[in-house]
Amino acid sequence: MEPLDLKIQDSVALIEFGDPAKRNLLTVPLLEALPLAIAEAEVRGARVVVLRGRGDVWSGGYDIGAIPADLFDVDPRAALEHPFERCMRAVEACVVPTIAAVNGHAIGGGVELAVSCDLRWARAGAKLGVTAARLGLVYPHSGLAKFTRLLGPANARRLLFTGDLFDTATAERMGLVDQVVAAGEFDAEVRALAARIAAAAPIAVQGMKQVLRRLEEGTPLDAAEVGDILRLQQRSFASEDFREGRAAFAAKRPPRFRGR
């Protein structure tokens, strides 16, 4: 079985990943394939990328059995270039919006994969948790930073110190997922969300994603960064899509954005 499958239709890229018989573990081949699939989706003009686990599970997390015993022995910083870390950075760096369609249980690194996406829709009945404390591991600091930014310090501690698995209602209250959808409606709701994003103006959406990611860092913008943001705004004001948006609003019709 290939690590993943990429399909693009109506500017929506769907990446289904993993091996359900192995709980869609994040194996090294999968972690190396996912950044390539995201890059291909961008090149082929996708306006939104949806990640979904194959079958009825999102991911059981990183394949712990594949961690080299000597990972930290020579140079601890070498762990920063592990395929898992590179993959998470690639998901975060995706130019277009990403949706984690959490279609079943998400454990450990599987939770970080979801958190690395812009939006997280979860199927009711799924459970989510990071079990590093139960394995005797200090979770990678890049993931700890994401959990803290997303959940706040208190909920991040609850997630990480207990190693508990949370139901989707609790995960939603904590901020770990954005929306919980009934199992029978899940795939249709995710498709509808992706379609709405794909129908929006790409220059506007991608520009705002870039700015939001920077603002999430929580540090003040310097003069150069403010200049970059103003240029993004300038580009949108000068775009054909902005003219189309105004014309469509005046004519009371749906806009047809072309990304230029």
Side-chain angles (χ1 to χ4, degrees), residues 9-13 45-50 96-97 99 190-203 205-206 241 255-259:
Q9 183 176 5
D10 298 328
S11 299
V12 175
R47 296 184 180 184
V48 59
V49 173
V50 178
V96 303
I99 301 171
V190 171
R191 285 195 298 270
L193 172 65
R196 292 196 299 275
I197 294 174
I203 291 173
V205 172
Q206 293 170 26
D241 278 355
R256 295 181 292 274
F257 295 119
R258 303 175 67 182

Side-chain angles (χ1 to χ4, degrees), residues 2-152:
E2 293 297 319
L4 56 79
D5 179 52
L6 167 65
K7 296 178 181 176
I8 300 178
Q9 183 176 5
D10 298 328
S11 299
V12 175
L14 172 63
I15 299 175
E16 291 189 291
F17 63 87
D19 181 352
K22 298 180 179 178
R23 300 179 296 119
N24 294 340
L25 289 178
L26 301 178
T27 63
V28 169
L30 171 55
L31 293 167
E32 292 176 339
L34 187 51
L36 298 176
I38 289 173
E40 180 180 348
E42 293 174 352
V43 169
R44 292 173 58 184
R47 296 184 180 184
V48 59
V49 173
V50 178
L51 300 183
R52 186 191 191 283
R54 285 184 174 133
D56 295 320
V57 63
W58 168 257
S59 175
Y62 182 69
D63 185 2
I64 299 297
I67 297 179
D70 61 350
L71 179 62
F72 287 94
D73 286 356
V74 179
D75 178 7
R77 295 188 63 84
L80 299 176
E81 292 306 315
H82 188 276
F84 180 85
E85 295 290 339
R86 293 201 304 268
C87 181
M88 296 304 112
R89 291 197 294 267
V91 173
E92 281 199 295
C94 180
V95 172
V96 303
T98 49
I99 301 171
V102 183
N103 56 303
H105 297 342
I107 313 297
V111 176
E112 184 177 348
L113 177 59
V115 167
S116 298
C117 295
D118 296 302
L119 296 167
R120 288 159 297 285
W121 252 231
R123 191 182 71 185
K127 291 189 176 181
L128 301 89
V130 178
T131 56
R134 295 187 179 184
L135 295 169
L137 295 174
V138 174
Y139 197 87
H141 73 278
S142 55
L144 298 180
K146 292 176 198 174
F147 297 139
T148 303
R149 287 196 304 268
L150 183 67
L151 307 180

